[in-house]
Amino acid sequence: MSDRLKIRPMAEEDRSEVLAMMRIFYDSPAVFHTSSDRVLTKDFNDCVGDMPLLKGYIAEYDGAVAGYAMVSLGYTTEYGGLCIWVEDLYIKPDHRRKNIGNSMLEFIEKEFPDAVRFKLEVECENDAAASCYKKSGYSVSVYDVMTKETDPDK
């Protein structure tokens, strides 16, 4: 990590900037589902609150917020241990191609040294993100993911 880049836990004072980045991210083609502002606010609150299964991180480049990541903690029976799911990884456009995404992934891996698996999703047409993840050692899984959602606005 360069001296210009600092990665730290997300804090309450990051609220407006993180929510703005989340809105951009969730309205982009990088995700299939646009989440409501209520859900994004809940996600942020859980990152900085007492929710033990969700952690948030901020990347600062030259003192300015350059991006954020959110990870959820789970267990994988397939590999017998802690599984870290990188839920969000967003880098502002003017900070892309500065190795910030890879540095954030490296930071997250160091934060969870006992994890046996790290997972993330990438939209298949997002070549830049896929390249970043491959550079960090991620590969495409052979599993199809099936989901069942309940109404998040209940």
Side-chain angles (χ1 to χ4, degrees):
M1 196 173 340
S2 79
D3 292 338
R4 302 175 77 180
L5 178 64
K6 176 184 175 186
I7 300 172
R8 60 171 175 78
M10 196 175 284
E12 179 60 41
E13 53 269 17
D14 299 312
R15 178 178 294 276
S16 63
E17 191 133 27
V18 169
L19 288 173
M21 289 186 288
M22 291 177 77
R23 183 76 278 148
I24 293 167
F25 179 65
Y26 277 92
D27 287 345
S28 78
V31 296
F32 291 121
H33 171 70
T34 296
S35 293
S36 69
D37 288 341
R38 187 197 69 74
V39 169
L40 300 184
T41 299
K42 182 173 184 339
D43 292 343
F44 179 84
N45 291 343
D46 286 342
C47 274
V48 299
D50 295 331
M51 168 54 73
L53 301 177
L54 186 64
K55 307 290 181 196
Y57 302 98
I58 297 293
E60 294 178 342
Y61 193 85
D62 288 340
V65 173
Y68 81 97
M70 289 184 182
V71 302
S72 62
L73 288 66
Y75 190 92
T76 170
T77 57
E78 185 175 8
Y79 290 91
L82 180 63
C83 178
I84 303 300
W85 188 280
V86 180
E87 295 281 350
D88 294 11
L89 178 56
Y90 177 81
I91 308 300
K92 291 180 177 180
D94 56 333
H95 289 288
R96 293 178 186 161
R97 304 209 184 335
K98 296 179 181 176
N99 204 39
I100 296 171
N102 293 103
S103 294
M104 288 194 83
L105 291 170
E106 181 181 314
F107 177 89
I108 290 165
E109 290 174 18
K110 288 180 181 175
E111 284 290 290
F112 302 97
D114 295 332
V116 297
R117 187 177 219 190
F118 292 86
K119 294 173 73 171
L120 52 78
E121 294 175 340
V122 62
E123 210 286 349
C124 64
E125 295 175 5
N126 191 344
D127 294 330
S131 177
C132 170
Y133 304 149
K134 287 177 183 176
K135 185 177 173 184
S136 288
Y138 288 76
S139 60
V140 175
S141 173
V142 295
Y143 291 106
D144 287 333
V145 175
M146 297 177 70
T147 64
K148 179 180 178 181
E149 287 76 27
T150 60
D151 183 357
D153 291 318
K154 282 185 183 178

